[in-house]
Amino acid sequence: MVQFRAVFLKRTVLVLAVVVAIPYLRGPLYDFPAETAFAGAELLNPYAALTDPWQRANLHAHGRVWSGLTNGRQPDAEIVRAYESLGYSVAGVSNYQRIATDDGVPTMPLYEHGYNLGKRHQLAIGARQVSWFDFPLWQTRSHQQFVIHRVAETADLVALAHPAARDAYTTADLRQLTGYHLMEVVNGPFLFEESWDAALSAGRAVWALANDDTHDLTDPRRTAVAWTMINAPSASASDIVDALRAGRAYAVSRTNEIASAVETVLGTVTVDNDTIEVTCEGEPSTFIFIGQNGVVRKSVKEALAATYTFGHDDTYIRTVIRSPRTAMFLNPVLRHPGGERPPLVARVDVGGTWRLRAGLVLAGATLALLFRDRRRPVPALPPRQVLAPADRKTA
Ligand SMILES: [Zn+2]
């Protein structure tokens, strides 16, 4: 019986090891495009054509799924009802590896991807199908890139969730990775501005998202504290996706620094020659203009409008508006050479990938051999002359 159990355990461990190893054999090696700061004579303003109404959105909330295995406390439909009653027009439900709309929940098709130790999670926005691929244990930068590409295959947009939680994506990773569109610059009470500036400073044009990431609607630290204002004609999934892709949105964090009945909102962002003008509606606020490597270039206090003139060493300028109740993180105005800017794409290094796979197979085979040798039962020896009891050694 004991022996049977040992064999069973050994086989289970072996099967698990093989299952875990498979994604690592599948994962290619990538060549990443060089880090290149935004450059060019033109300025790209994502807010140049603001005509539509603003939609208030939360795209990260967890309901009770997988029989309570993942820890959302309330049913999906309750999340939608709760956010709609708070004035949100987009009440996203982003369960792990499950699209709530497939279960008939009236929300955006959306899910949170990822089941790995490093907490590298992505929001698949406008998801058509769940991607089940992940590297559950360690992830190199190439692994991270492969997962982003896999998630992007069956969704309109990919956003990196809580990018620096548990060091999910280091700033060095974010200076290299491509193929995703957005990043949670605000996740509940946490800010990830450093992560964002790392990507932007390396010429990766990715936009900001702010989400609650609530697992429990009764937790005030995680409910209605972070949201994204999206400039879209309607709250339909396609309008929201188009606006997010173009950067016609801004991320908001509730700070409640000063008691105020008024919620200040973004007015306009215009660019005239090399000068950006940003306005807000509501109460006088502080405007902070931030550029390459996250350096604060200028701030203006107690104002409803502020301007910043691009210097020739400015590559991008993003604005943060600190109002009495909120901090608003605007998408950057970027330097641009004009015309279509081809997107930066990490490409598979075919030769390197096959060398890596060969190495992994070799390492696996060596381990398996060692494992076998150690565990091989001692072959039965032919019967031999047994020593007389008197010749036996005694301990
Ligand atoms: Zn997550």
Side-chain angles (χ1 to χ4, degrees):
M1 190 63 191
V2 170
Q3 200 190 355
F4 172 75
R5 252 193 235 153
V7 169
F8 178 76
L9 197 73
K10 207 165 103 178
R11 290 208 175 142
T12 310
V13 168
L14 206 70
V15 167
L16 264 176
V18 170
V19 166
V20 167
I22 287 170
Y24 291 91
L25 283 171
R26 177 79 184 79
L29 213 61
Y30 280 92
D31 275 332
F32 293 91
E35 297 173 19
T36 42
F38 297 112
E42 291 186 20
L43 294 179
L44 187 142
N45 174 15
Y47 304 102
L50 295 184
T51 50
D52 304 307
W54 289 97
Q55 314 286 344
R56 184 184 293 249
N58 176 50
L59 298 177
H60 199 163
H62 294 269
R64 194 186 303 123
V65 282
W66 303 115
S67 311
L69 188 71
T70 59
N71 55 348
R73 272 195 55 162
Q74 55 283 311
D76 295 347
E78 208 176 304
I79 296 175
V80 177
R81 272 199 302 276
Y83 277 96
E84 284 180 352
S85 75
L86 287 167
Y88 287 66
S89 47
V90 183
V93 176
S94 60
N95 290 322
Y96 291 112
Q97 304 296 125
R98 187 131 145 193
I99 304 169
T101 45
D102 289 353
D103 300 325
V105 182
T107 179
M108 289 248 330
L110 179 71
Y111 71 96
E112 184 168 12
H113 177 273
Y115 48 91
N116 54 78
L117 296 182
K119 215 178 172 191
R120 294 179 184 98
H121 294 169
Q122 307 81 29
L123 292 173
I125 301 166
R128 296 176 291 280
Q129 204 184 309
V130 169
S131 166
W132 277 97
F133 191 91
D134 205 0
F135 298 96
L137 304 177
W138 74 95
Q139 290 193 6
T140 64
R141 196 170 295 151
S142 283
H143 293 144
Q144 295 168 8
Q145 186 61 67
F146 188 60
V147 170
I148 289 169
H149 282 165
R150 291 300 292 251
V151 176
E153 275 171 12
T154 52
D156 293 327
L157 301 170
V158 177
L160 302 187
H162 40 74
R166 211 182 286 168
D167 277 329
Y169 299 97
T170 65
T171 51
D173 294 331
L174 294 167
R175 296 182 74 93
Q176 298 276 308
L177 293 168
T178 67
Y180 66 99
H181 311 86
L182 301 132
M183 182 188 293
E184 273 185 342
V185 173
V186 188
N187 174 279
F190 305 107
L191 300 183
F192 298 99
E193 286 185 271
E194 198 189 339
S195 304
W196 194 24
D197 284 311
L200 291 174
S201 298
R204 274 67 177 156
V206 294
W207 309 126
L209 267 189
N211 290 317
D212 279 337
D213 194 0
T214 183
H215 288 248
D216 177 0
L217 290 171
T218 63
D219 177 359
R221 248 172 71 86
R222 282 285 190 178
T223 304
V225 297
W227 61 93
T228 307
M229 296 296 276
I230 304 172
N231 195 252
S234 81
S236 75
S238 61
D239 282 349
I240 294 299
V241 163
D242 287 349
L244 285 176
R245 192 193 299 278
R248 284 197 309 277
Y250 63 95
V252 186
S253 163
R254 188 188 293 288
T255 54
N256 282 340
E257 273 172 24
I258 302 166
S260 164
V262 182
E263 185 182 302
T264 302
V265 294
L266 176 65
T268 55
V269 181
T270 50
V271 176
D272 184 17
N273 288 320
D274 282 346
T275 301
I276 316 169
E277 185 185 40
V278 183
T279 69
C280 67
E281 292 167 9
E283 296 202 279
S285 302
T286 300
F287 291 72
I288 306 158
F289 297 97
I290 296 165
Q292 185 73 15
N293 298 320
V295 174
V296 173
R297 310 291 289 174
K298 180 182 178 182
S299 33
V300 177
K301 284 187 177 161
E302 286 289 303
L304 288 169
T307 60
Y308 180 85
T309 302
F310 260 70
H312 46 251
D313 57 337
D314 280 319
T315 56
Y316 71 88
I317 289 293
R318 64 179 183 88
T319 312
V320 178
I321 307 173
R322 299 196 78 91
S323 79
R325 281 173 49 184
T326 62
M328 292 171 262
F329 300 88
L330 276 57
N331 284 326
V333 171
L334 313 170
R335 277 207 182 275
H336 192 270
E340 275 289 292
R341 185 176 187 266
L344 297 175
V345 182
R347 299 195 187 282
V348 171
D349 166 4
V350 178
T353 298
W354 283 105
R355 282 192 293 279
L356 173 75
R357 284 179 186 154
L360 283 173
V361 167
L362 208 69
T366 311
L367 275 176
L369 268 176
L370 287 172
F371 189 70
R372 261 179 79 99
D373 268 348
R374 263 198 310 125
R375 298 300 169 111
R376 187 180 291 159
V378 179
L381 295 172
R384 270 204 234 148
Q385 182 73 49
V386 177
L387 294 174
D391 293 338
R392 275 194 188 149
K393 268 192 187 146
T394 46

